Amino acid sequence: GSSMTRHLSTIVLAACALVASLPAAAQWKGKGEVGIVFSRGNSDTDTANIKLDTSREIDRWKHGFGIAALRASSDGDKTAERYGAGWQSDYKLNERAFWFGGLRYEQDEFSGFDYQASASTGFGYKFVDTDRTKFSGQAGVGYRRSELTPTGEIDKEAIFRGDLKFEHALTENTKIIDAFIVEAGSDNTFLSNILALQVKMSDKFALSL
């Protein structure tokens, strides 16, 4: 069939980001994102993703928690299924430097691992910290436990953990965000980079690509 027939009807919600103000008494703040794509025609594809990030600052401490999920299928066959969660606590040493401790868990059916769970700690620094631009990095060491599929073999190893985070306001309503993570061990190296362009629609909603 033609391209028009293959994509007879397509409904797209490309990551509508909701900044959720949690109860003031809890002193937590955060944002949620959801993205959905349905395509119907000669080929049926479904994709859905959800993400939630919250944080709280208490004196010199900052605590952050995040979860994410992604599912995709094509003609009824699953092509992606990934779940992740992470926690990090930062202790401010001064206005730019901080010490961190973090936990990360990921379950990805198409990664060759049933799951990967790690704990790490190290030093972080805010290279740029202005209202318009924020750029920080952190590096440390940790421990990772992984279960391989389909054998169920458990792999345990020491890791190096490194992060880079960049955020820049292009205009009053448009922001570019990039977050890079590396976990390097002797048997496996995990790399992740998330690049987003966020357009503010109101005080509560933004469109993110």
Side-chain angles (χ1 to χ4, degrees):
S2 66
S3 176
M4 180 178 293
T5 305
R6 286 197 300 270
H7 303 286
L8 185 59
S9 64
T10 302
I11 304 172
V12 179
L13 175 59
C16 181
L18 169 62
V19 179
S21 299
L22 300 179
Q27 296 179 344
W28 287 88
K29 61 181 180 179
K31 66 178 181 179
E33 297 182 10
V34 60
I36 304 171
V37 176
F38 299 109
S39 179
R40 295 294 180 265
N42 286 357
S43 178
D44 296 344
T45 60
D46 301 326
T47 304
N49 67 281
I50 188 170
K51 186 178 180 181
L52 174 66
D53 291 297
T54 64
S55 64
R56 182 183 181 185
E57 294 190 40
I58 310 172
D59 299 325
R60 286 179 171 264
W61 287 96
K62 179 180 179 181
H63 306 292
F65 173 72
I67 58 174
L70 169 69
R71 289 176 62 92
S73 65
S74 178
D75 291 331
D77 294 327
K78 188 162 47 180
T79 56
E81 183 170 4
R82 183 170 67 247
Y83 307 98
W87 174 280
Q88 180 166 313
S89 291
D90 302 338
Y91 181 76
K92 185 189 296 185
L93 301 175
N94 55 47
E95 289 304 313
R96 290 188 177 269
F98 59 93
W99 194 265
F100 77 90
L103 303 172
R104 188 186 71 84
Y105 175 86
E106 181 172 279
Q107 182 176 329
D108 187 342
E109 188 170 323
F110 293 85
S111 69
F113 295 91
D114 184 52
Y115 73 86
Q116 289 187 302
S118 64
S120 56
T121 184
F123 177 78
Y125 192 79
K126 299 176 182 179
F127 301 104
V128 181
D129 189 17
T130 66
D131 290 340
R132 187 176 181 185
T133 304
K134 299 182 185 301
F135 177 49
S136 65
Q138 58 186 44
V141 295
Y143 172 82
R144 181 171 59 203
R145 177 186 172 97
S146 308
E147 181 176 331
L148 283 73
T149 54
T151 64
E153 179 184 350
I154 302 296
D155 182 33
K156 306 173 184 178
E157 60 181 337
I159 58 170
F160 163 80
R161 169 70 184 260
D163 298 66
L164 289 173
K165 296 180 181 179
F166 175 77
E167 183 177 309
H168 179 67
L170 299 173
T171 68
E172 184 177 346
N173 297 319
T174 306
K175 182 185 298 183
I176 187 168
I177 302 168
D178 192 86
F180 173 75
I181 299 174
V182 56
E183 279 187 1
S186 58
D187 296 327
N188 175 256
T189 296
F190 170 86
L191 298 170
S192 172
N193 193 82
I194 299 174
L195 174 65
L197 179 66
Q198 193 174 92
V199 181
K200 185 177 180 181
M201 311 298 289
S202 70
D203 289 340
K204 292 292 184 181
F205 289 93
L207 184 68
S208 180
L209 175 64

